Amino acid sequence: MDIIVNGEPQELADVITIATLLEARGLTGKRVAVERNGEIVPKSRHAETAIASGDRIEIVVAVGGG
Amino acid sequence: MSTDSLVIAGKAYGSRLLVGTGKYKDFAQTRAAIDASGAEIITVAIRRTNIGQEPGQPSILEVLPPSQFTILPNTAGCYTADDAVRTLRLGRELLDGHALCKLEVLGDPQSLFPNMPETLKAAATLVKDGFQVMVYCSDDPIQARMLEDIGVVAVMPLASLIGSGMGILNPWNLKLIIEQSKVPVLVDAGVGTASDAAIAMELGCDGVLMNTAIAGAEDPVLMAGAMKKAVEAGRDAFRAGRMPKKFYAATPSSPVGGMIGPGTR
């Protein structure tokens, strides 16, 4: 299953959720926001939102800026 | 807190200096400069996780936690209304539903001048979506009024180009915006040194937002303190009401009579 995370193609062996994707990237418990195909996935739904083939996922954080 | 608070979207702030968190050497310097500035509202940018951050490093919001500061997510780098709206929706999710944000939609990568049609479009969408929008804009009183009519909570005209440090280039336009606006007016962009911040406040601005003027100084922490004092001094001078300018000092400060010499020739 191929998806795009932050603009980069990624191949997934199993069906996973947003929560497991965050875990795989060491982002569990971090202050991030996630968008799936242009729609916000609220934190409360990370665990139940499954990722489908072709999904475009954005994971963002706050960084220094003016 | 003093009685002369800056009120934005119904919330009172003691400091009229808002600062950005970009371009510092490291997080320690960021924190030290922001503490020295006395700012209560600080801006952050929203970026993809793998950009601008090493894995395992603390995030900016661990160094400057939302429990201590009002975090203003911005849309720096956005060139369309759609990108800006999307970025701020992510910012709101990131900050647990926090509605206050800074909108900026740029029109040109060289000058970073705002694209006002896109800015107005984004502002309308965001206000409708429940955001409290503070908007970076051109120093055009008509567009500032349009933004106010849309329902933004603050208009933030540039004093000169972002990152230029050129100071207050058109005080008269700023004055027009200040006089007509019912929402706070903050100078956003262009301040280079403390006197620029003081001039903005003397004009009657409600606050000043800056980043490069502090982060780009040789000693950012010292400059942050200077900006704090400049904003306070400028505000006090504005409230005090300055003396009128006169070409001749028709009345000297010291008594005219009682001179030991013959006096005027």
Side-chain angles (χ1 to χ4, degrees), chain A residues 6-8 25 27 30-35 38 40-43 46 58-66, chain B residues 20-22 43-50 53 60-61 66 74 86 89-90 93-96 102 104 211:
Chain A
N6 287 352
E8 288 173 9
R25 292 179 163 241
L27 295 170
K30 298 275 181 190
R31 203 180 261 278
V32 296
V34 180
E35 199 186 62
I40 301 279
V41 182
K43 274 180 208 76
H46 285 183
E58 294 286 344
I59 309 168
V60 301
V61 287
V63 300
Chain B
T21 57
T43 67
V44 297
I46 307 296
R47 291 292 180 270
R48 286 171 164 170
T49 39
N50 34 9
Q53 212 192 8
I60 190 93
L61 295 181
N74 72 21
R86 216 176 132 197
R89 283 183 177 145
L90 282 163
E93 163 67 13
L94 195 68
L95 293 163
D96 309 314
K102 174 186 160 179
E104 61 178 282
N211 188 344

Side-chain angles (χ1 to χ4, degrees), chain B residues 30-114:
Chain B
T30 311
R31 177 73 208 214
I34 281 152
D35 283 343
S37 78
E40 294 163 58
I41 303 176
I42 59 171
T43 67
V44 297
I46 307 296
R47 291 292 180 270
R48 286 171 164 170
T49 39
N50 34 9
I51 290 166
Q53 212 192 8
E54 298 295 317
Q57 264 203 342
S59 90
I60 190 93
L61 295 181
E62 286 165 39
V63 181
L64 301 161
S67 56
Q68 293 171 30
F69 298 93
T70 296
I71 309 292
L72 203 58
N74 72 21
T75 61
C78 290
Y79 283 82
T80 65
D82 286 349
D83 277 354
V85 168
R86 216 176 132 197
T87 299
L88 288 176
R89 283 183 177 145
L90 282 163
R92 181 167 62 179
E93 163 67 13
L94 195 68
L95 293 163
D96 309 314
H98 172 76
L100 194 68
C101 62
K102 174 186 160 179
L103 171 66
E104 61 178 282
V105 185
L106 303 176
D108 178 67
Q110 189 116 44
S111 68
L112 304 178
F113 214 83

Side-chain angles (χ1 to χ4, degrees), chain A residues 18-59:
Chain A
I18 296 289
T20 41
L21 179 68
L22 291 178
E23 195 187 344
R25 292 179 163 241
L27 295 170
T28 302
K30 298 275 181 190
R31 203 180 261 278
V32 296
V34 180
E35 199 186 62
R36 175 176 173 245
N37 301 326
E39 298 289 328
I40 301 279
V41 182
K43 274 180 208 76
S44 58
R45 297 222 302 269
H46 285 183
E48 66 194 48
T49 304
I51 294 172
S53 188
D55 275 0
R56 287 172 296 108
I57 309 290
E58 294 286 344
I59 309 168

Side-chain angles (χ1 to χ4, degrees), chain B residues 24 42 57 76 99 129 148 153 205 207 216 219 227 232 246:
Chain B
Y24 288 98
I42 59 171
Q57 264 203 342
D129 199 6
E148 192 173 341
V153 300
C205 282
D219 185 338
M227 290 300 185
E232 287 170 0
K246 280 176 283 190

Side-chain angles (χ1 to χ4, degrees), chain B:
Chain B
M1 192 181 289
S2 74
T3 52
D4 180 41
S5 308
L6 168 63
V7 179
I8 299 172
K11 194 176 168 197
Y13 300 90
S15 170
R16 291 175 179 273
L17 174 58
L18 288 68
V19 296
T21 57
K23 298 186 182 171
Y24 288 98
K25 190 180 70 182
D26 52 35
F27 279 155
Q29 190 187 58
T30 311
R31 177 73 208 214
I34 281 152
D35 283 343
S37 78
E40 294 163 58
I41 303 176
I42 59 171
T43 67
V44 297
I46 307 296
R47 291 292 180 270
R48 286 171 164 170
T49 39
N50 34 9
I51 290 166
Q53 212 192 8
E54 298 295 317
Q57 264 203 342
S59 90
I60 190 93
L61 295 181
E62 286 165 39
V63 181
L64 301 161
S67 56
Q68 293 171 30
F69 298 93
T70 296
I71 309 292
L72 203 58
N74 72 21
T75 61
C78 290
Y79 283 82
T80 65
D82 286 349
D83 277 354
V85 168
R86 216 176 132 197
T87 299
L88 288 176
R89 283 183 177 145
L90 282 163
R92 181 167 62 179
E93 163 67 13
L94 195 68
L95 293 163
D96 309 314
H98 172 76
L100 194 68
C101 62
K102 174 186 160 179
L103 171 66
E104 61 178 282
V105 185
L106 303 176
D108 178 67
Q110 189 116 44
S111 68
L112 304 178
F113 214 83
N115 178 330
M116 288 309 298
E118 289 293 304
T119 300
L120 287 157
K121 199 172 130 191
T125 305
L126 290 165
V127 168
K128 225 170 146 186
D129 199 6
F131 283 91
Q132 295 166 339
V133 192
M134 303 175 70
V135 195
Y136 167 63
C137 56
S138 59
D139 63 350
D140 173 347
I142 308 306
Q143 312 235 41
R145 185 183 290 153
M146 287 173 173
L147 286 168
E148 192 173 341
D149 290 344
I150 283 170
V152 305
V153 300
V155 291
M156 305 199 291
L158 51 80
S160 49
L161 299 180
I162 292 177
S164 72
M166 291 289 282
I168 318 290
L169 294 189
N170 196 336
W172 311 112
N173 273 25
L174 290 178
K175 194 89 189 156
L176 286 171
I177 295 171
I178 290 161
E179 280 180 9
Q180 75 181 19
S181 298
K182 291 180 190 74
V183 295
V185 177
L186 291 87
V187 153
D188 180 2
V191 166
T193 187
S195 53
D196 297 333
I199 289 168
M201 295 308 293
E202 286 171 9
L203 282 169
C205 282
D206 296 282
V208 180
L209 198 167
M210 65 180 74
N211 188 344
T212 315
I214 296 174
E218 280 182 35
D219 185 338
V221 180
L222 189 59
M223 185 59 92
M227 290 300 185
K228 177 181 194 274
K229 287 179 247 181
V231 167
E232 287 170 0
R235 176 66 185 175
D236 285 353
F238 169 73
R239 292 177 72 207
R242 62 152 298 152
M243 63 163 280
K245 283 183 185 174
K246 280 176 283 190
F247 190 60
Y248 287 105
T251 47
S253 303
S254 305
V256 180
M259 300 291 296
I260 55 166
T264 52
R265 57 194 170 95

